[in-house]
Amino acid sequence: MNILREVLKGKNKNEYNITLYQYQVCPFCCKVRAYLDFNQIPYKIIEVNPLFKSEIKFSKDYRKVPIVVIDGLINNQLNDSSRIITHLNDVLDETKTMNTKDTVKWRKWVDDTFVHTLAPNIYRTNEEAVEAFEYISEQNGFSWFQKQAVLYGGSFTMYAVAKRLKKKYGIEDEREAIFSCGKKWINEAVLPNGRFHGGDKPDLADLAAYGILTSIEGLRTFNELTKEVPQLGAWYDMMKRTVPKCSGIKINK
C-alpha cells in the first residue's frame, strides 16, 4: 500500500499513531498484537463489546475485528489481520526477509486451517464454552452487566457457532484436529528451519501461529495441546520470551 508508505515515511515507530479495535482474545486480533509487540510499535487499544459493537459504529461496511486506524491515512482504516500485518510489514521490512514465499504459504495455512480448529475446541461443550467466556470476561474491561451478557449470551451463541464451524471445515474430532495442526506446524514448519520457522528469529509465519495460540493460553484446550505436542509448548515458550510484553495502551474501560 503505497499510500501507507507515504503516510509513515520519515516517521519513527513512536509517531505512527495506531489504534487497534479488538476483542482481547480474538485470535486474529492477537495476531496483530503479536506483530506490533514484536516490532515494538506503540498503539492504543479500543476494546469492542462482541455483542453490541458500538465501538466500531464508524465502520459502516466492515463489522469485524481487528480494525486498525492510522492517523493521516485517507480512509484511515485497515481491515483484516493478515492485510494489516502485510501492509505494515511492507513499510518496516524493506528487505522482505520476514515474508518469504514459504512464509506466505504458512501464514495462509494458519489463516485457512489452524485457526479454524480453535473455536470448535474451546467451545466444544457447554461447560467449556462457559469456561472460555469466564476467561474472556475477565480479560476485558467491561462493566458487570456487560460481563454477564457476554458470559451467558456469548457462551450459548459460540457453543452453537462452534458446531456449525466443525461441520463447515469437516472436523470430526476437535481435539485430534488441533493436535494434528500442532504437530504439522512443529514438524514441517519449525524444526526444518531451526528454533523458529524464520530460523534464528521469528518471521511472520511464527508471529501468526503464535498470535492465534495466545488467544487460548490458559484454557483447557491449550493445556491439552501443549501436553500432546511438547515441542509446540517449547516453541511457544521461546516465542513468548522473544515477543515483548504488550505495548498497547487500553483507552476504554
Side-chain angles (χ1 to χ4, degrees), residues 149-212:
V150 169
L151 174 58
Y152 295 105
S155 59
F156 177 80
T157 300
M158 288 308 299
Y159 172 72
V161 168
K163 297 305 177 188
R164 292 200 298 270
L165 290 174
K166 181 180 175 181
K167 183 177 181 180
K168 178 179 179 179
Y169 294 107
I171 297 172
E172 294 185 6
D173 184 303
E174 301 94 331
R175 286 296 197 263
E176 181 54 38
I178 198 169
F179 292 167
S180 177
C181 282
K183 292 171 184 175
K184 182 179 179 71
W185 169 251
I186 286 299
N187 293 329
E188 298 181 28
V190 176
L191 293 182
N193 295 295
R195 298 171 66 222
F196 306 105
H197 176 268
D200 291 333
K201 62 180 182 179
D203 63 8
L204 296 191
D206 289 293
L207 291 170
Y210 172 72
I212 68 164

Side-chain angles (χ1 to χ4, degrees), residues 9-249:
K9 185 178 180 180
K11 294 182 178 180
N12 65 48
K13 296 174 185 178
N14 294 322
E15 299 174 316
Y16 284 3
N17 209 355
I18 290 174
T19 302
L20 170 65
Y21 291 80
Q22 66 156 30
Y23 307 148
Q24 178 66 24
V25 293
C26 156
F28 299 104
C29 302
C30 291
K31 276 172 53 185
V32 174
R33 289 204 310 273
Y35 178 81
L36 294 171
D37 293 340
F38 178 74
N39 286 284
Q40 297 181 285
I41 301 172
Y43 56 101
K44 297 185 286 289
I45 295 171
I46 299 289
E47 195 65 34
V48 177
N49 186 297
L51 296 183
F52 307 112
K53 300 184 180 181
S54 58
E55 296 82 2
I56 56 171
K57 61 184 178 183
F58 65 86
S59 181
K60 304 300 182 185
D61 300 322
Y62 190 82
R63 302 294 294 165
K64 301 177 183 179
V65 291
I67 294 172
V68 158
V69 170
I70 301 176
D71 284 0
L73 183 65
I74 298 173
N75 298 323
N76 63 348
Q77 179 177 330
L78 295 177
N79 306 325
D80 181 83
S81 61
S82 290
R83 290 183 68 247
I84 291 167
I85 291 168
T86 296
H87 289 323
L88 287 172
N89 199 67
D90 283 346
V91 175
L92 293 174
D93 181 29
E94 294 184 357
T95 62
K96 303 297 182 285
T97 55
M98 286 188 67
N99 201 28
T100 64
K101 286 185 178 180
D102 194 59
T103 303
V104 171
K105 180 189 81 171
W106 282 104
R107 288 177 68 195
K108 188 175 188 305
W109 175 80
V110 169
D111 285 349
D112 293 348
T113 303
F114 201 175
V115 74
H116 295 303
T117 66
L118 302 189
N121 273 281
I122 65 175
Y123 307 118
R124 182 176 60 159
T125 64
N126 279 314
E127 180 186 0
E128 285 178 286
V130 171
E131 174 188 288
F133 268 87
E134 283 177 343
Y135 175 75
I136 290 169
S137 65
E138 289 171 1
Q139 299 301 307
N140 294 296
F142 298 144
S143 69
W144 184 87
F145 291 104
Q146 288 175 320
K147 285 181 179 179
Q148 299 310 301
V150 169
L151 174 58
Y152 295 105
S155 59
F156 177 80
T157 300
M158 288 308 299
Y159 172 72
V161 168
K163 297 305 177 188
R164 292 200 298 270
L165 290 174
K166 181 180 175 181
K167 183 177 181 180
K168 178 179 179 179
Y169 294 107
I171 297 172
E172 294 185 6
D173 184 303
E174 301 94 331
R175 286 296 197 263
E176 181 54 38
I178 198 169
F179 292 167
S180 177
C181 282
K183 292 171 184 175
K184 182 179 179 71
W185 169 251
I186 286 299
N187 293 329
E188 298 181 28
V190 176
L191 293 182
N193 295 295
R195 298 171 66 222
F196 306 105
H197 176 268
D200 291 333
K201 62 180 182 179
D203 63 8
L204 296 191
D206 289 293
L207 291 170
Y210 172 72
I212 68 164
L213 288 174
T214 62
S215 72
I216 64 169
E217 184 181 3
L219 295 178
R220 190 183 312 182
T221 297
F222 181 85
N223 295 335
E224 292 183 17
L225 173 61
T226 52
K227 182 178 180 180
E228 176 72 18
V229 192
Q231 288 174 307
L232 180 69
W235 166 85
Y236 185 89
D237 289 342
M238 283 193 293
M239 286 294 299
K240 196 169 184 177
R241 291 193 296 270
T242 303
V243 177
K245 289 186 177 180
C246 181
S247 57
I249 300 173

